[in-house]
Amino acid sequence: SSIMVVILTASAVAGIIPNIVSHQRGVTRYGLGSIWCTDYAARIFFLLVILLYLYSAKMKFYHWIGVLAVAVIVYKCTYGRLDFTCMVLAIVLFFLHEQIGKKENENKLKSFWTSLWEKLAPVLAPAAAVIMTLLTVLYSPDNKLLSKLNDLLSTRLQLGKSAFTDI
């Protein structure tokens, strides 16, 4: 899959396949061989999570900097804010997990970290889904807090609200 992404990206940059270009909020966004720029950023995010899952225990500090640089480059090319946020969050969480989990860290922090994730992991995704659904249902452009959150989430609350009201 990562080889395909490299081939697609190189082909789009070389002009062999279309590189869809769009403009949003004065920023140029590139699809780099994908149907849409955020589709490309999502592919990179999932590849990054796979890479971190498989190799984070063996990664040196310069690898972490390299992975973060990839996230920044993808953000600069695609302007995929949500994907970039997810990439940075994944990098930070995997990095913390590796640093806290080192053998020389046999302390309370390590046991707290392990216990925290054992309890949080099963409920994190369902809780996030419930929170997003509630925020979407409660969304109103008149609510300044939800309106700002909607802007940060690329109008996802507004689009979700219209799906609930129009369907």
Side-chain angles (χ1 to χ4, degrees), residues 125-153:
V130 167
I131 291 167
M132 275 308 291
T133 303
L134 284 173
L135 290 172
T136 301
V137 169
L138 297 173
Y139 172 74
S140 167
D142 300 331
N143 184 318
K144 290 183 181 184
L145 178 66
L146 290 179
S147 184
K148 181 65 177 169
L149 183 60
N150 183 54
D151 289 342
L152 289 172
L153 295 174

Side-chain angles (χ1 to χ4, degrees), residues 71-133:
V72 170
I73 290 167
V74 169
Y75 171 73
K76 291 289 188 182
C77 292
T78 65
Y79 195 59
R81 294 170 292 166
L82 196 55
D83 292 302
F84 176 69
T85 302
C86 290
M87 284 187 235
V88 170
L89 187 60
I91 292 166
V92 167
L93 287 175
F94 272 92
F95 181 77
L96 284 175
H97 180 75
E98 290 306 323
Q99 296 308 307
I100 293 170
K102 287 185 177 179
K103 288 182 181 175
E104 62 267 12
N105 289 339
E106 296 292 336
N107 57 24
K108 290 182 182 180
L109 179 61
K110 184 176 179 179
S111 62
F112 169 75
W113 182 259
T114 304
S115 173
L116 175 73
W117 283 106
E118 285 173 354
K119 292 175 182 146
L120 273 183
V123 296
L124 209 51
V130 167
I131 291 167
M132 275 308 291
T133 303

